């Protein structure tokens, strides 16, 4: 970090740079901004002005140690809520600047997350009915919200049930930018879903995840509403997400053919290191 920025909250520096970039964007030329905010994330620290409204709500308190792990004797919940409030405020600043500059109707804004919530925020029930958390391949670890905003192009207050993943972002952007030859990848553009043309939307045969840190190795495959999860040397788990979003009942023994089909996807999807 440059010396002149010492002592500043990093998130605020990100926001300043983003506002400067959008403020200097040329209305007649394409522009792209990837803003990778780090909050909310351990360590749970946020300036005082983002904590004040939560100070006297009587919430149970939580604190982290120096490694960012949680203890149950101080105010991590207040800081966590303050982080989310600050991020929400600053995303709003960027969207408002797009509006003031007359760029909003020609700009696609996507807001999403790289994983589900961590274990330290369970008091807020951040996962709702989903099982698992960050570093899991249950839905609580890999299912994340995605909000797309594009006035007069994306219909407001609509939802899509299209199943996608981050590797679909590049082909989506390639299509929107009219790129003649998008680099080879495993993704599928979801422009049709953004525009509400659900019948024209191409679907994945399956999506594959693999995670080898801490709890790993773990593998997961989703095909339609079916989800198979496999841990090393353990019986595979099969869930019907249309009926069991919380992944509470393993139905592999009752659906052996489906379990085998998804295991075949799993075995063919990965490349040995």
């Amino acid at each position: 970090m440059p010396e002149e920025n010492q002592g500043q909250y990093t998130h605020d520096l990100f926001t300043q740079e983003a506002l400067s970039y959008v403020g200097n964007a040329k209305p007649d030329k394409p522009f792209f901004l990837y803003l990778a905010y780090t909050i909310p994330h351990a360590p749970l620290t946020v300036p005082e002005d983002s904590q004040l409204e939560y100070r006297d709500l009587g919430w149970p308190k939580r604190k982290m140690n120096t490694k960012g792990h949680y203890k149950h004797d101080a105010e991590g919940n207040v800081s966590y809520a303050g982080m989310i409030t600050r991020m929400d405020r600053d995303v709003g600043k960027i969207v408002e600047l797009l509006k003031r500059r007359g760029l909003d109707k020609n700009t696609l804004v996507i807001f999403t997350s790289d994983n589900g919530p961590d274990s330290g925020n369970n008091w807020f029930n951040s996962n709702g009915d989903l099982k698992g958390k960050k570093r899991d391949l249950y839905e609580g670890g890999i299912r994340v919200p995605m909000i797309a905003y594009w006035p007069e192009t994306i219909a407001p207050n609509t939802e899509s049930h299209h199943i996608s993943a981050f590797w679909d972002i590049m082909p989506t952007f390639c299509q929107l930018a009219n790129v003649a030859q998008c680099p080879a990848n495993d993704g599928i553009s979801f422009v049709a879903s953004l525009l509400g043309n659900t019948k024209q939307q191409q679907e994945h045969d399956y999506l594959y995840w693999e995670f080898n840190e801490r709890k790993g190795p773990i593998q997961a495959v989703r095909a339609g509403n079916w989800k198979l999860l496999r841990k090393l040397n353990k019986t595979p788990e099969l869930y019907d997400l249309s009926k069991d979003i919380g992944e509470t009942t393993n139905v592999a023994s009752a659906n052996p053919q489906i379990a085998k089909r998804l295991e075949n996807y799993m075995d063919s999807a990965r490349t040995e290191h």
Side-chain angles (χ1 to χ4, degrees), residues 117-185:
D118 203 351
S119 58
N121 342 345
N122 288 346
W123 185 76
F124 292 102
N125 191 28
S126 299
N127 276 358
D129 295 329
L130 303 183
K131 180 179 180 178
K133 58 190 178 185
K134 179 179 178 179
R135 300 184 183 90
D136 281 324
L137 294 187
Y138 293 111
E139 292 296 279
I142 59 176
R143 178 188 287 247
V144 297
M146 191 187 86
I147 300 170
Y149 171 80
W150 194 355
E152 298 184 9
T153 299
I154 297 177
N157 302 314
T158 55
E159 295 183 3
S160 171
H161 296 283
H162 173 61
I163 301 169
S164 64
F166 276 122
W167 44 97
D168 295 331
I169 292 288
M170 183 166 66
T172 299
F173 288 174
C174 284
Q175 182 177 348
L176 290 172
N178 295 316
V179 174
Q181 188 67 42
C182 194
N185 62 88

Side-chain angles (χ1 to χ4, degrees), residues 62-262:
R62 228 171 223 172
K63 186 180 182 180
M64 302 143 323
N65 60 25
T66 55
K67 294 183 179 179
H69 299 145
Y70 299 92
K71 296 180 179 179
H72 295 273
D73 58 358
E75 52 187 66
N77 286 327
V78 169
S79 297
Y80 179 69
M83 281 180 160
I84 294 176
T85 298
R86 199 174 194 88
M87 178 178 63
D88 183 64
R89 178 200 70 185
D90 292 339
V91 170
K93 287 181 180 179
I94 296 167
V95 173
E96 284 303 313
L97 181 57
L98 288 170
K99 292 179 180 179
R100 289 200 307 271
R101 297 207 60 213
L103 299 171
D104 59 314
K105 294 178 182 178
N106 195 33
T107 303
L108 169 63
V109 178
I110 291 179
F111 179 89
T112 187
S113 175
D114 58 343
N115 50 250
D118 203 351
S119 58
N121 342 345
N122 288 346
W123 185 76
F124 292 102
N125 191 28
S126 299
N127 276 358
D129 295 329
L130 303 183
K131 180 179 180 178
K133 58 190 178 185
K134 179 179 178 179
R135 300 184 183 90
D136 281 324
L137 294 187
Y138 293 111
E139 292 296 279
I142 59 176
R143 178 188 287 247
V144 297
M146 191 187 86
I147 300 170
Y149 171 80
W150 194 355
E152 298 184 9
T153 299
I154 297 177
N157 302 314
T158 55
E159 295 183 3
S160 171
H161 296 283
H162 173 61
I163 301 169
S164 64
F166 276 122
W167 44 97
D168 295 331
I169 292 288
M170 183 166 66
T172 299
F173 288 174
C174 284
Q175 182 177 348
L176 290 172
N178 295 316
V179 174
Q181 188 67 42
C182 194
N185 62 88
D186 293 327
I188 293 174
S189 168
F190 52 79
V191 169
S193 288
L194 291 175
L195 303 182
N197 301 324
T198 55
K199 293 183 179 179
Q200 299 176 21
Q201 178 62 58
Q202 184 182 355
E203 303 286 344
H204 285 279
D205 292 330
Y206 65 90
L207 294 174
Y208 173 76
W209 296 267
E210 180 177 325
F211 193 78
N212 294 297
E213 181 186 345
R214 293 177 61 181
K215 298 179 180 180
I218 314 171
Q219 297 169 279
V221 161
R222 176 163 179 178
N225 286 317
W226 291 103
K227 167 90 171 286
L228 187 78
L229 187 140
R230 185 169 66 184
K231 301 176 183 177
L232 184 64
N233 299 325
K234 293 189 177 181
T235 303
E237 303 169 29
L238 180 68
Y239 301 101
D240 181 355
L241 298 181
S242 67
K243 301 176 182 177
D244 183 20
I245 194 63
E247 296 169 292
T248 61
T249 306
N250 181 3
V251 295
S253 59
N255 299 275
Q257 292 182 330
I258 295 174
K260 183 61 178 176
R261 174 167 62 90
L262 268 63

Side-chain angles (χ1 to χ4, degrees), residues 27-57:
D28 58 340
K29 292 185 178 181
F31 64 90
F32 174 81
L33 171 64
Y34 172 60
L35 179 57
Y37 277 143
T38 55
I39 63 173
H41 198 283
L44 298 185
T45 58
V46 69
E48 182 70 16
D49 62 317
S50 290
Q51 301 182 39
L52 294 176
E53 64 182 293
Y54 304 110
R55 281 267 177 235
D56 300 319
L57 298 182

